[in-house]
Amino acid sequence: MAESASAPRVSLASVTPAIALGPLDGRYRSATAPLVDYLSEAALNRDRTHVEVEWLIHLTSNSVLPGTKPLSEQQQHQLREIVSSFDGNSVAELGEIEKRTVHDVKAVEYYIADRLAAIGIEDLKALVHFGCTSEDVNNLSYALGIKGAVENVWLPAAQDLVNRIAAMAEETRHVPMLSRTHGQPATPTTLGKELAVTVHRLSRQLRHIRNTEFLGKINGATGTYAAHYAAVPQADWQQVARSFVEGLGLTWNPLTTQIESHDWQAELYADMARFNRILHNFCTDVWSYISIGYFAQVPVEGATGSSTMPHKVNPIRFENAEANLEISNGLLDTLASTLVTSRWQRDLTDSSSQRNIGVAVGHSLLAISNVAKGLERLDVAESVLAADLDTNWEVLGEAIQMVMRAEAVAGTPGMENPYERLKDLTRGHRVDAARMQEFIAGLGLPAEAEARLQALTPGRYTGIADELVDHLK
């Protein structure tokens, strides 16, 4: 099966009509087109064809059924060419077959069977789809498509974005910035450290997603191998199934009803939704920093920011990302909750649900693209950050009262009620450098402690914020 994994395939990106109902296949086609080869209806049918072809090769290669023998390398190659040459014409032909069968998986079975004569194995038509229920083919096909989309498209894009933010964190690790807790001035930090927090959060979710188990099964109408053993009782069908599923690069699920239970999908979508939510939080923070001037947006030559206000450069990339992340999560959350439930041994709610996987992933991918483009147009306004710090000397109140507490423990007299004294000085009042230094001088601190506080400014009161960025390495 190694040949199948590496064989080049025809791109399906041109199959979808240019006139589209949804924006992912219309306005935003360029950003989401890579997903077409994995999560479109055409890709699903190609993957179904792939599964059916490999099942036929697997059964014959292992002589599972009496009277069969392994196919020649040429015959295997010709079978796999049915998959590697799958294109727009194949989609159209399958559509015509489905009009007769009124069944999508049965159409794939006939599509393959019609090609066996040209390969010289027409006598093996009975082996196409042998022992399978439609869900045997579908669950494996969806797993392959989702795995390909996540590993080859979504994850690289997400990782590239995280790398960009990490690079920004490194570049700005020493740039002091006023924090805002509850929207109010708070203990300063550095811009790089705050960006590193986002990188750390997003990276944890990417690790979870990379560790996803993509499960699959091929065990018949109710997961009992009943038809398999009725036809060929001497075969070890569990081993046949396991080796086949694992040969596709998936994890074998040994216990299912008619459907593979989709729990792994729910886990994956929850992880992706969590990544989306953290990225959404990042977008709202960057938007807010832009609004107070911490970031300056570099205008695109010739672009219009506002139809009536020529001065404006709107943070539209981050706003668009917010919307796309919300749409993606609405679908991912629905998929995660819907797919884990199926009445008794089978209902069809998963069929319609899974057809929206591409839309859910597509909006997330589009948001990632939005953010990446937004970051390209940001400049850090260090002078604005510095000015903001210089007008908020009261944030040093925390440092002063902590020094007083430490000195009180050490036995220095006159250090009573440090919190209350700083509260009287700073709460509801703006304190400049001169007033703060005057206050420090009147505290009666030991010379070393006083000198340490007198040298402190809001821009220097960042602790080890710059060193914390090293945790990204």
Side-chain angles (χ1 to χ4, degrees):
M1 299 176 68
E3 178 188 348
S4 174
S6 60
R9 293 179 175 180
V10 176
S11 172
L12 299 173
S14 62
V15 172
T16 303
I19 300 175
L21 178 62
L24 296 184
D25 286 318
R27 181 180 181 89
Y28 306 123
R29 178 72 169 185
S30 60
T32 59
L35 291 174
V36 172
D37 273 331
Y38 300 98
L39 297 177
S40 63
E41 186 76 14
L44 175 62
N45 278 324
R46 183 178 61 191
D47 286 335
R48 284 166 169 162
T49 305
H50 171 59
V51 170
E52 294 277 18
V53 163
E54 293 301 329
W55 182 237
L56 174 57
I57 293 173
H58 188 69
L59 292 176
T60 54
S61 296
N62 292 281
S63 301
V64 177
L65 279 74
T68 60
K69 58 183 180 180
L71 302 175
S72 69
E73 288 188 12
Q74 176 65 17
Q75 289 169 330
Q76 292 186 34
H77 177 74
Q78 288 176 292
L79 276 171
R80 286 172 171 146
E81 277 191 326
I82 299 173
V83 182
S84 63
S85 64
F86 195 95
D87 59 10
N89 293 328
S90 309
V91 172
E93 183 179 343
L94 267 173
E96 291 302 313
I97 298 172
E98 189 178 343
K99 287 179 182 178
R100 301 196 309 270
T101 62
V102 196
H103 195 289
D104 47 6
V105 177
K106 200 67 178 176
V108 172
E109 178 187 342
Y110 290 166
Y111 176 81
I112 295 169
D114 289 345
R115 283 158 171 74
L116 298 189
I119 302 174
I121 53 173
E122 188 173 14
D123 58 316
L124 295 182
K125 276 188 176 183
L127 274 188
V128 181
H129 203 68
F130 183 87
C132 295
T133 184
S134 296
E135 180 58 17
D136 285 325
V137 176
N138 280 337
N139 87 95
L140 295 171
S141 300
Y142 272 113
L144 290 171
I146 296 166
K147 186 174 188 287
V150 169
E151 294 182 347
N152 298 326
V153 181
W154 189 88
L155 265 174
Q159 185 62 65
D160 181 66
L161 176 61
V162 172
N163 291 345
R164 291 188 188 203
I165 303 172
M168 288 179 63
E170 181 61 38
E171 291 166 5
T172 59
R173 65 189 297 158
H174 300 296
V175 177
M177 180 181 82
L178 184 70
S179 292
R180 282 179 167 79
T181 58
H182 307 281
Q184 307 304 308
T187 302
T189 180
T190 69
L191 177 56
K193 180 263 179 181
E194 298 310 304
L195 292 171
V197 171
T198 295
V199 173
H200 183 63
R201 296 177 69 194
L202 292 174
S203 295
R204 287 189 69 249
Q205 302 315 312
L206 293 185
R207 286 197 295 274
H208 293 166
I209 293 167
R210 284 195 184 90
N211 291 329
T212 297
E213 279 190 302
F214 299 88
L215 272 62
K217 71 95 180 181
I218 186 163
N219 54 14
T222 57
T224 64
Y225 301 95
H228 305 68
Y229 277 100
V232 188
Q234 68 273 27
D236 183 350
W237 282 106
Q238 286 199 80
Q239 178 54 33
V240 171
R242 178 173 189 160
S243 59
F244 178 67
V245 171
E246 291 178 349
L248 292 173
L250 306 174
T251 299
W252 180 55
N253 187 343
L255 280 170
T256 76
T257 59
Q258 183 176 108
I259 67 166
E260 197 288 318
S261 305
H262 308 323
D263 296 344
W264 69 265
Q265 288 194 53
E267 293 157 5
L268 170 63
Y269 303 147
D271 289 338
M272 293 182 74
R274 203 155 41 247
F275 178 95
N276 284 350
R277 289 188 170 93
I278 295 168
L279 187 58
H280 187 284
N281 189 184
F282 175 72
C283 290
T284 57
D285 277 359
V286 171
W287 186 97
S288 299
Y289 288 139
I290 292 170
S291 74
I292 61 174
Y294 279 13
F295 288 120
Q297 295 185 97
V298 181
V300 178
E301 187 175 352
T304 298
S306 166
S307 62
T308 60
M309 293 173 279
H311 69 283
K312 293 185 72 181
V313 182
N314 296 328
I316 59 171
R317 297 297 185 186
F318 299 99
E319 293 170 340
N320 288 344
E322 285 182 48
N324 282 300
L325 290 166
E326 290 163 10
I327 294 168
S328 175
N329 275 8
L331 288 168
L332 289 172
D333 290 346
T334 298
L335 288 168
S337 62
T338 297
L339 291 175
V340 295
T341 301
S342 185
R343 295 175 185 84
W344 292 345
Q345 282 69 51
R346 175 69 161 129
D347 68 38
L348 209 61
T349 51
D350 62 338
S351 178
S352 293
S353 297
Q354 289 183 106
R355 281 185 162 85
N356 288 282
I357 295 168
V359 183
V361 178
H363 278 285
S364 178
L365 184 66
L366 179 56
I368 289 168
S369 174
N370 292 150
V371 177
K373 290 177 180 177
L375 293 178
E376 290 174 357
R377 293 290 171 179
L378 288 187
D379 274 345
V380 179
E382 292 190 37
S383 60
V384 176
L385 273 73
D388 202 16
L389 286 162
D390 198 46
T391 57
N392 285 279
W393 278 75
E394 60 269 19
V395 296
L396 296 184
E398 177 193 42
I400 296 168
Q401 63 115 348
M402 285 300 168
V403 170
M404 292 175 67
R405 286 172 184 259
E407 291 299 329
V409 172
T412 301
M415 297 295 110
E416 296 83 7
N417 304 316
Y419 178 85
E420 288 74 17
R421 290 162 72 180
L422 268 299
K423 179 179 174 182
D424 290 341
L425 174 70
T426 61
R427 192 171 190 183
H429 306 290
R430 281 298 171 94
V431 181
D432 61 14
R435 180 70 185 95
M436 188 62 77
Q437 289 169 352
E438 178 187 2
F439 178 81
I440 293 169
L443 290 174
L445 290 164
E448 185 278 330
E450 180 178 336
R452 190 168 4 114
L453 286 177
Q454 291 287 14
L456 203 58
T457 67
R460 295 194 189 108
Y461 184 43
T462 58
I464 60 168
D466 58 333
E467 295 178 28
L468 293 174
V469 178
D470 289 336
H471 285 287
L472 300 183
K473 296 179 180 177

